[in-house]
Amino acid sequence: MSTDLLVSRPPGRHRRARPELGAALAAVAVLVFFSVVADSFLRASSIGTVLYAASTIGIMAVPVSLLMIGGEFDLSAGVLVTSAALTSSMVSYQLTAVTWVGVLVSLLVTLAVSGFNGWMLGRTRLPSFIVTLGTFLMLTGANLGLTKLVSGTVTTKPIGDMQGFGSCRWLFASELTVGGLTVRATVWWWLALVAVASWVLLRTRYGNWVFAVGGDAGAARAVGVPVGRTKTGLYLGVGFCAWVLGQHLLFSFDTVQSGEGVGNELIYIVAAVIGGCLITGGYGSVVGGALGALIFGMVSKGIVYAQWNPDWFKFFLGAMLLLAALLNSWVKQRAERGR
């Protein structure tokens, strides 16, 4: 069987099962629930805050969802966002260049790190858990060590007065207010990434390859799917989105704390699982990951608007993760029975 057949054949029932359906129903339920228990939840200002919280998770939930559909993980995704911000800041400040130079160098660095993850995975056949855990530890140490070496502290120097800062801020951290609703630039980035990634996954040969390598990498390799290149491409997508979010982090606050990002990789994975992606790979959708991020944003801010103790947030998040995993498994089993 050639790889062309992987593209021309009709999508399987597992895709018609709509893996994002459970997340959509959960999002509606969460919206209705907090609309009832929190009077301020549906205010324009609150909606803007919820969308912003969802977008900062959703930008990374897009490539993480694709990666999980391809059967892999990236435990370095959270600290890679911080690495991207730190690289932009320190290169711009130390070289006394315009901020766009730091931004472009940061893009090259993040793509190199994520490409290294994909290359190592293909060359060694080690589990992605091990490969990206090693990258996570190295980046965590490098973020702290290099920042202290270059800046003398754990925080980068301000670059707000440098040439190009205004245009970079407009692209990555601007905001638009209409009728009391403030929409941050991350929301537009998030929606654009969801649209592009969904098209790639569902309408291109590469998207079929992603499903194939996630379902059974050995079988995909046997019919000519370039498994290594496919997975490396997925990791490069993680690097690009980490770069986007890292630039937002830098140009929103002017400085960056070197210890940020640790633990966020788990939140991205939770958003993808809530959105319908299976841990075992081969099943899921980008839209589902976006809905998982939206649920995350609604719950994190809804608890605040309802004036509950925010210490309970991770309890609710863990409960949603377990329920989502059970629902996803049940949906897949039904789809397989009906095939």
Side-chain angles (χ1 to χ4, degrees), residues 99-100 163-173 251:
T99 55
W100 281 107
Q163 182 181 355
F165 184 89
S167 56
C168 289
R169 185 182 180 89
W170 175 84
L171 181 61
F172 296 107
F251 293 106

mmCIF file of all heavy atoms in Angstrom, residues 99-100 163-173 251:
data_model
loop_
_atom_site.group_PDB
_atom_site.id
_atom_site.type_symbol
_atom_site.label_atom_id
_atom_site.label_comp_id
_atom_site.label_asym_id
_atom_site.label_seq_id
_atom_site.Cartn_x
_atom_site.Cartn_y
_atom_site.Cartn_z
ATOM 1 N N THR A 99 14.816 44.776 18.902
ATOM 2 C CA THR A 99 14.181 43.603 19.507
ATOM 3 C C THR A 99 13.844 42.532 18.476
ATOM 4 O O THR A 99 13.773 41.348 18.815
ATOM 5 C CB THR A 99 12.887 44.008 20.247
ATOM 6 O OG1 THR A 99 12.023 44.718 19.346
ATOM 7 C CG2 THR A 99 13.219 44.892 21.441
ATOM 8 N N TRP A 100 13.657 42.931 17.213
ATOM 9 C CA TRP A 100 13.326 41.942 16.190
ATOM 10 C C TRP A 100 14.460 40.954 15.979
ATOM 11 O O TRP A 100 14.214 39.797 15.593
ATOM 12 C CB TRP A 100 12.978 42.631 14.869
ATOM 13 C CG TRP A 100 11.580 43.166 14.858
ATOM 14 C CD1 TRP A 100 11.196 44.465 14.942
ATOM 15 C CD2 TRP A 100 10.377 42.387 14.771
ATOM 16 N NE1 TRP A 100 9.828 44.567 14.917
ATOM 17 C CE2 TRP A 100 9.299 43.311 14.812
ATOM 18 C CE3 TRP A 100 10.115 41.035 14.676
ATOM 19 C CZ2 TRP A 100 7.970 42.900 14.751
ATOM 20 C CZ3 TRP A 100 8.800 40.611 14.618
ATOM 21 C CH2 TRP A 100 7.737 41.541 14.649
ATOM 22 N N GLN A 163 14.627 49.808 20.310
ATOM 23 C CA GLN A 163 13.997 49.954 19.008
ATOM 24 C C GLN A 163 13.294 48.659 18.610
ATOM 25 O O GLN A 163 13.848 47.573 18.736
ATOM 26 C CB GLN A 163 15.059 50.304 17.964
ATOM 27 C CG GLN A 163 14.492 50.529 16.572
ATOM 28 C CD GLN A 163 15.568 50.863 15.550
ATOM 29 O OE1 GLN A 163 16.737 51.011 15.912
ATOM 30 N NE2 GLN A 163 15.187 50.984 14.296
ATOM 31 N N GLY A 164 12.078 48.786 18.139
ATOM 32 C CA GLY A 164 11.304 47.636 17.696
ATOM 33 C C GLY A 164 10.389 47.059 18.754
ATOM 34 O O GLY A 164 9.556 46.197 18.429
ATOM 35 N N PHE A 165 10.528 47.526 20.004
ATOM 36 C CA PHE A 165 9.703 46.953 21.065
ATOM 37 C C PHE A 165 8.218 47.193 20.798
ATOM 38 O O PHE A 165 7.390 46.298 21.011
ATOM 39 C CB PHE A 165 10.091 47.544 22.421
ATOM 40 C CG PHE A 165 9.354 46.933 23.580
ATOM 41 C CD1 PHE A 165 9.854 45.812 24.213
ATOM 42 C CD2 PHE A 165 8.151 47.463 24.044
ATOM 43 C CE1 PHE A 165 9.183 45.221 25.279
ATOM 44 C CE2 PHE A 165 7.471 46.884 25.102
ATOM 45 C CZ PHE A 165 7.992 45.772 25.730
ATOM 46 N N GLY A 166 7.876 48.395 20.321
ATOM 47 C CA GLY A 166 6.471 48.730 20.087
ATOM 48 C C GLY A 166 5.830 47.838 19.035
ATOM 49 O O GLY A 166 4.704 47.354 19.219
ATOM 50 N N SER A 167 6.535 47.596 17.926
ATOM 51 C CA SER A 167 5.963 46.759 16.866
ATOM 52 C C SER A 167 5.872 45.298 17.305
ATOM 53 O O SER A 167 4.902 44.604 16.964
ATOM 54 C CB SER A 167 6.804 46.885 15.594
ATOM 55 O OG SER A 167 8.157 46.550 15.845
ATOM 56 N N CYS A 168 6.867 44.838 18.075
ATOM 57 C CA CYS A 168 6.798 43.476 18.598
ATOM 58 C C CYS A 168 5.644 43.338 19.583
ATOM 59 O O CYS A 168 4.939 42.321 19.585
ATOM 60 C CB CYS A 168 8.113 43.099 19.287
ATOM 61 S SG CYS A 168 9.504 42.857 18.168
ATOM 62 N N ARG A 169 5.465 44.344 20.399
ATOM 63 C CA ARG A 169 4.364 44.310 21.363
ATOM 64 C C ARG A 169 3.019 44.288 20.645
ATOM 65 O O ARG A 169 2.099 43.577 21.064
ATOM 66 C CB ARG A 169 4.447 45.518 22.291
ATOM 67 C CG ARG A 169 3.412 45.524 23.407
ATOM 68 C CD ARG A 169 3.531 46.783 24.257
ATOM 69 N NE ARG A 169 2.543 46.788 25.313
ATOM 70 C CZ ARG A 169 2.709 46.259 26.520
ATOM 71 N NH1 ARG A 169 3.856 45.674 26.820
ATOM 72 N NH2 ARG A 169 1.750 46.297 27.423
ATOM 73 N N TRP A 170 2.917 45.037 19.549
ATOM 74 C CA TRP A 170 1.668 45.042 18.793
ATOM 75 C C TRP A 170 1.359 43.658 18.246
ATOM 76 O O TRP A 170 0.215 43.195 18.279
ATOM 77 C CB TRP A 170 1.758 46.036 17.631
ATOM 78 C CG TRP A 170 0.545 46.008 16.745
ATOM 79 C CD1 TRP A 170 -0.637 46.665 16.933
ATOM 80 C CD2 TRP A 170 0.392 45.237 15.534
ATOM 81 N NE1 TRP A 170 -1.526 46.350 15.917
ATOM 82 C CE2 TRP A 170 -0.921 45.485 15.054
ATOM 83 C CE3 TRP A 170 1.229 44.378 14.825
ATOM 84 C CZ2 TRP A 170 -1.396 44.895 13.887
ATOM 85 C CZ3 TRP A 170 0.751 43.783 13.671
ATOM 86 C CH2 TRP A 170 -0.547 44.049 13.212
ATOM 87 N N LEU A 171 2.377 42.960 17.734
ATOM 88 C CA LEU A 171 2.158 41.656 17.119
ATOM 89 C C LEU A 171 1.843 40.578 18.143
ATOM 90 O O LEU A 171 0.976 39.724 17.906
ATOM 91 C CB LEU A 171 3.401 41.249 16.317
ATOM 92 C CG LEU A 171 3.319 39.897 15.591
ATOM 93 C CD1 LEU A 171 2.180 39.890 14.575
ATOM 94 C CD2 LEU A 171 4.645 39.574 14.905
ATOM 95 N N PHE A 172 2.510 40.618 19.289
ATOM 96 C CA PHE A 172 2.401 39.515 20.238
ATOM 97 C C PHE A 172 1.597 39.839 21.498
ATOM 98 O O PHE A 172 1.156 38.907 22.184
ATOM 99 C CB PHE A 172 3.802 39.051 20.672
ATOM 100 C CG PHE A 172 4.617 38.473 19.564
ATOM 101 C CD1 PHE A 172 5.684 39.178 19.031
ATOM 102 C CD2 PHE A 172 4.329 37.226 19.045
ATOM 103 C CE1 PHE A 172 6.452 38.651 18.000
ATOM 104 C CE2 PHE A 172 5.080 36.681 18.013
ATOM 105 C CZ PHE A 172 6.154 37.406 17.489
ATOM 106 N N ALA A 173 1.417 41.104 21.825
ATOM 107 C CA ALA A 173 0.807 41.421 23.119
ATOM 108 C C ALA A 173 -0.154 42.601 23.067
ATOM 109 O O ALA A 173 -0.444 43.207 24.109
ATOM 110 C CB ALA A 173 1.896 41.693 24.158
ATOM 111 N N PHE A 251 6.855 40.499 25.765
ATOM 112 C CA PHE A 251 6.401 41.835 25.362
ATOM 113 C C PHE A 251 5.156 42.290 26.118
ATOM 114 O O PHE A 251 4.735 43.433 25.971
ATOM 115 C CB PHE A 251 6.189 41.865 23.852
ATOM 116 C CG PHE A 251 7.471 41.727 23.083
ATOM 117 C CD1 PHE A 251 7.783 40.549 22.429
ATOM 118 C CD2 PHE A 251 8.390 42.767 23.063
ATOM 119 C CE1 PHE A 251 8.980 40.414 21.746
ATOM 120 C CE2 PHE A 251 9.587 42.651 22.383
ATOM 121 C CZ PHE A 251 9.894 41.466 21.725
#
